Amino acid sequence: LEPNYSEPQPTSIDSALQPNDSINYSPTKPTLFRERHGWCPYSERVWIALEAKNIPYDTIRIDNTGHGPRPSYFQGQTPQIRWPDDGSTQGESMDLV
């Protein structure tokens, strides 16, 4: 399986490196909030499902280790999806898959 680099790739933001309250959400793509280090199997489940279904999305990686401040624009646990139509968020990986 060869990657197709001609297709647009998801925007990926690391919340530890991005200043708070400066996120420009896509008006057409959902935004996946996932665990920053790849240690959360629930975040990985949603990420793999989005990739397998070829759904365009953006991603924001959140530090869930508790060692740093969470960004003000994120509440709750990972994974979550922010829907572009109304800005609502939804969690629980099996509901998102």
Side-chain angles (χ1 to χ4, degrees), residues 73-92:
Y73 54 81
F74 179 78
Q75 302 294 323
Q77 297 295 316
T78 58
Q80 287 185 21
I81 292 264
R82 181 186 185 277
W83 300 109
D85 54 349
D86 62 359
S88 65
T89 58
Q90 181 181 0
E92 293 301 321

Side-chain angles (χ1 to χ4, degrees), residues 3-92:
N4 183 352
Y5 294 111
S6 64
E7 293 182 12
Q9 300 299 306
T11 299
S12 182
I13 296 171
D14 188 328
S15 68
L17 305 175
Q18 181 76 20
N20 281 344
D21 301 326
S22 62
I23 302 300
N24 294 320
Y25 295 104
S26 168
T28 58
K29 296 186 291 186
T31 301
L32 170 63
F33 294 94
R34 61 180 283 219
E35 199 275 324
R36 179 178 184 222
H37 302 288
W39 298 333
C40 175
Y42 308 110
S43 291
E44 299 301 305
R45 175 188 291 157
V46 177
W47 172 61
I48 290 169
L50 288 169
E51 289 292 322
K53 295 178 181 184
N54 203 25
I55 297 172
Y57 68 96
D58 292 332
T59 186
I60 298 177
R61 295 181 313 277
I62 303 292
D63 188 354
N64 268 352
T65 62
H67 296 302
R70 284 190 162 192
S72 62
Y73 54 81
F74 179 78
Q75 302 294 323
Q77 297 295 316
T78 58
Q80 287 185 21
I81 292 264
R82 181 186 185 277
W83 300 109
D85 54 349
D86 62 359
S88 65
T89 58
Q90 181 181 0
E92 293 301 321

